[in-house]
Amino acid sequence: LIMAACYAAYDVSRALAQGREAVALANGTFFMNLEKALGIWWEPWIQGRISACEPLMTILVWIYQYAHLPFIIGAMLWVFTQRRSRWRLYRDWFLAMNFIAVIVFALLPTAPPRMIFTSGVADINFLHGVREQILENGMMANPFAAMPSLHFGYALFIGIMLFALADGRWTRWLGFLYSFVVLVTIVATGNHFIIDAVAGALVVLAAWIFAMNVQPAEAPQPSAVTVRERDG
């Protein structure tokens, strides 16, 4: 039901993006030029280096195509079944993160670097023949939802969740490793700018602040009262 609610909101943003292709391309070009001005226009370099190792790029395409939703659904189910006392916080956090992102999608449609002809970034998913499989042209697709990157936002959310709730030391850091892999994936495949990932992290932070402020206050514990014995 939570994922269905998020999809419904995302579908609204997709509908609002229809007919705004020129705006989305202009916004994408703006963010590309902003990264150049900031000295962080690394997308073509990253894609070129990873493309030199075809098996590695194939793995990243597979991660982008298949790992995104199963990982977040699995993580949420784990919290619900294994850390039930923390479920309310992470549920509200996840929902807030999605609805903040959807608002930005609707207000700021942004084309990914693969759609900007002057970017020098190729559409790796298309070259690997999986663009149709990820429903790029289907009802679930909003091709102008590059800003912010929910791919990275979800991955960072999982990383923070595991770090806060998992027991094993290696498991706690594994989530952040996954976040880094997703960051490399979305940039190397041409689906997001680096600045999209930064915006995704800010959405995660804003959603956490919101979720923390809507949690019910804990009832105060009754204080112990010492009863003085009466004098005989």
Side-chain angles (χ1 to χ4, degrees), residues 24-232:
L25 289 170
N27 289 335
T29 303
F30 169 79
F31 287 118
M32 179 182 69
N33 292 331
L34 177 61
E35 286 195 354
K36 290 179 179 179
L38 295 173
I40 58 172
W41 176 240
W42 303 328
E43 284 84 341
W45 183 88
I46 293 173
Q47 188 179 84
R49 295 301 178 274
I50 295 180
S51 295
C53 181
E54 184 62 24
L56 177 58
M57 184 60 84
T58 300
I59 292 172
L60 296 185
V61 169
W62 184 92
I63 291 173
Y64 186 87
Q65 181 182 357
Y66 293 113
H68 181 48
L69 289 179
F71 270 52
I72 189 62
I73 293 174
M76 295 297 286
L77 285 173
W78 175 75
V79 175
F80 183 75
T81 57
Q82 304 300 319
R83 300 292 188 272
R84 183 67 65 86
S85 63
R86 307 301 300 277
W87 165 249
R88 182 189 293 269
L89 171 62
Y90 285 90
R91 178 203 62 192
D92 295 346
W93 189 356
F94 179 74
L95 287 172
M97 182 172 63
N98 279 272
F99 280 94
I100 291 172
V102 164
I103 291 172
V104 180
F105 292 157
L107 297 178
L108 191 68
T110 304
R114 61 180 172 80
M115 286 188 175
I116 300 173
F117 301 130
T118 58
S119 68
V121 176
D123 186 348
I124 298 298
N125 293 90
F126 176 80
L127 295 177
H128 279 247
V130 297
R131 181 60 63 192
E132 293 183 359
Q133 285 91 324
I134 60 176
L135 305 176
E136 175 67 20
N137 299 314
M139 289 297 294
M140 294 180 65
N142 181 357
F144 305 126
M147 169 64 72
S149 171
L150 270 189
H151 266 84
F152 182 71
Y154 283 174
L156 183 59
F157 176 74
I158 291 174
I160 296 172
M161 177 192 298
L162 290 179
F163 187 82
L165 302 181
D167 294 326
R169 183 180 65 177
W170 292 107
T171 304
R172 295 175 66 190
W173 288 103
L174 190 61
F176 289 117
L177 176 61
Y178 171 66
S179 302
F180 175 76
V181 171
V182 170
L183 175 60
V184 174
T185 297
I186 62 177
V187 173
T189 56
N191 285 290
H192 285 282
F193 296 99
I194 293 172
I195 203 168
D196 296 339
V198 175
L202 292 176
V203 167
V204 173
L205 174 60
W208 174 78
I209 294 172
F210 172 83
M212 290 295 293
N213 281 278
V214 299
Q215 298 308 300
E218 294 184 2
Q221 297 295 325
S223 57
V225 178
T226 302
V227 180
R228 179 179 297 176
E229 294 182 1
R230 296 179 60 183
D231 293 334

